[in-house]
């Protein structure tokens, strides 16, 4: 059974490493302007990457973006990267993305998809009648319906201690009896 677990875990790890994270759209000129995800919905965060730029910073502009994107060197490989958000009010369609990298200007495209609305809300829209179990009467305010408002008093505390003592004595006697039977 242990080898089955190891095999399943190794298979899951391999699938996670080999699975594509998100589709990437490359610019039509083949010079590497990429947008991830390739087809976002309005209001989605996107990441831009531009390799082989002679500058250490660049600016990306699109009518689909909330603001201009400042790209900077993200790693030792020299790729410029930056993130922004697609405007929530943008309509579905293809938008041009222009990256200014020093004297060089690169063009790419971004396809905004229509937002798919979920059929059910992600969270409750009204109070949920989840009940309260046996504690509901204790937690309820005094509304005149017989619910108790005050906390347990000294009588409840003494009763709890007596019951705990009886339980401790019963466990002790049972232990003594089982030891005496083993000794026989």
């Amino acid at each position: 059974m242990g080898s089955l677990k190891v095999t399943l875990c190794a298979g899951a790890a391999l699938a996670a490493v080999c699975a594509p994270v998100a589709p990437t759209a490359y610019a039509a000129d083949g010079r590497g302007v990429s947008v991830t995800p390739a087809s976002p919905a309005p209001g989605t965060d996107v990441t831009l990457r531009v390799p082989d730029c002679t500058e250490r910073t660049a600016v990306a502009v699109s009518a689909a973006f909330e603001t201009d994107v400042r790209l900077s060197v993200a790693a030792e490989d020299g790729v410029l990267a930056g993130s922004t958000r697609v405007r929530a009010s943008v309509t579905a369609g293809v938008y041009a993305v222009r990256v200014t990298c020093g004297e060089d200007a690169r063009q790419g495209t971004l396809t905004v998809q229509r937002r798919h609305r979920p059929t059910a809300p992600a969270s409750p829209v009204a109070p949920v009648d989840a009940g309260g179990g046996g504690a509901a009467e204790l937690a309820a305010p005094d509304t005149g319906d017989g619910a108790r408002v005050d906390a347990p008093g000294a009588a409840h505390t003494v009763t709890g201690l007596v019951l705990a003592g009886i339980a401790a004595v019963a466990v002790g006697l049972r232990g003594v009896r089982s030891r005496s039977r083993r000794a026989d």
Side-chain angles (χ1 to χ4, degrees):
M1 191 67 160
S3 64
L4 178 63
K5 288 180 183 177
V6 171
T7 303
L8 290 175
C9 288
L14 182 64
V17 169
C18 293
V21 175
T24 303
Y26 289 99
D29 62 4
R31 293 178 59 189
V33 177
S34 66
V35 181
T36 306
S39 300
T44 304
D45 290 333
V46 295
T47 302
L48 279 77
R49 294 178 54 85
V50 179
D52 303 325
C53 182
T54 58
E55 302 291 323
R56 298 195 50 81
T57 61
V59 176
V61 180
S62 176
F65 298 153
E66 286 182 347
T67 61
D68 295 348
V69 185
R70 294 203 174 275
L71 305 172
S72 58
V73 177
E76 299 90 32
D77 59 359
V79 175
L80 299 179
S83 296
T84 190
R85 181 169 291 180
V86 176
R87 286 187 298 127
S89 61
V90 74
T91 58
V94 178
Y95 292 86
V97 178
R98 193 171 132 242
V99 177
T100 305
C101 181
E103 299 295 321
D104 190 19
R106 299 182 188 187
Q107 293 280 81
T109 58
L110 171 69
T111 303
V112 177
Q113 298 293 324
R114 189 183 77 208
R115 175 171 289 177
H116 298 285
R117 302 244 181 227
T119 56
S123 63
V125 293
V128 177
D129 185 17
E137 291 180 8
L138 294 175
D142 189 13
T143 59
D145 60 357
R148 184 177 55 207
V149 176
D150 49 338
H156 291 98
T157 304
V158 170
T159 303
L161 289 174
V162 167
L163 290 172
I166 291 171
V169 168
V171 169
L173 288 175
R174 185 174 177 139
V176 168
R177 283 186 189 164
S178 66
R179 278 191 229 129
S180 65
R181 286 186 186 155
R182 278 190 239 143
D184 293 340

